[in-house]
Amino acid sequence: MKQLRIRTLAAVFVVAGVLSWAGARLWNAVGTLPRVPLAAPIVLALIAIVLLATGLSLRARLKAQRERRPGAKGVDPLMAARAVVFGQASALVAALVAGMYGGTGVFLLESLEVPARRDQAIYAGFSVLAGFGVIAAAFFLERVCKLPEDDEHHGGTAPVA
């Protein structure tokens, strides 16, 4: 499984932001702008909380397992892999959504004197922040579930059979 790359997430964020900004300009020229829902930052924040809670739970269970505490509950490798895949998928979607709302928010900054647009810009800004929270929680979860490198045990070479 490949690790998340900040470059990939940043590229998705920037491309989505530019396309969203251009789409918002075009949409505004035609008539009205689509609304930024109040639920957007809330849903992204909830996803970030779920990822963070999963990461903290796995970290505590792995630590208890390493310290060989009596009654320590082990971590199923398949469950950990699923959690990492969920985190990676969430990070990619969050980068896309944050870019979309970021581009719309940048467009809305041009007309902050209109109260409705100011509220939409605020929702868009909170959506971007919550999207970054999802990405940070996904990186944390990925780091918690990372396996130690094998070359520490074999001096960088594979064992001879």
Side-chain angles (χ1 to χ4, degrees):
M1 183 177 323
K2 292 186 178 183
Q3 287 184 303
L4 279 175
R5 291 195 164 168
I6 292 178
R7 279 183 285 184
T8 304
L9 296 174
V12 168
F13 176 80
V14 169
V15 168
V18 169
L19 290 175
S20 177
W21 175 79
R25 288 183 55 99
L26 180 64
W27 201 299
N28 190 51
V30 171
T32 183
L33 200 60
R35 299 183 53 83
V36 177
L38 176 60
I42 295 170
V43 169
L44 286 169
L46 288 174
I47 292 170
I49 290 169
V50 166
L51 288 173
L52 183 63
T54 303
L56 291 172
S57 172
L58 286 173
R59 185 177 71 171
R61 289 172 61 185
L62 287 169
K63 183 179 179 185
Q65 189 177 4
R66 274 193 308 269
E67 294 174 353
R68 300 181 196 271
R69 291 185 194 156
K73 216 173 162 184
V75 176
D76 179 31
L78 188 57
M79 195 268 304
R82 287 179 181 158
V84 171
V85 169
F86 173 64
Q88 289 179 346
S90 298
L92 284 168
V93 171
L96 178 68
V97 170
M100 287 174 31
Y101 287 130
T104 303
V106 167
F107 173 76
L108 290 170
L109 289 177
E110 298 171 3
S111 56
L112 287 178
E113 62 276 354
V114 179
R117 293 227 171 160
R118 182 176 41 244
D119 291 344
Q120 295 297 302
I122 291 170
Y123 299 158
F126 280 133
S127 296
V128 171
L129 290 176
F132 289 157
V134 170
I135 292 168
F139 273 109
F140 172 72
L141 178 61
E142 186 178 67
R143 192 184 67 120
V144 165
C145 294
K146 186 176 180 181
L147 293 173
E149 297 294 327
D150 283 338
D151 59 357
E152 293 176 0
H153 302 291
H154 301 294
T157 61
V160 178

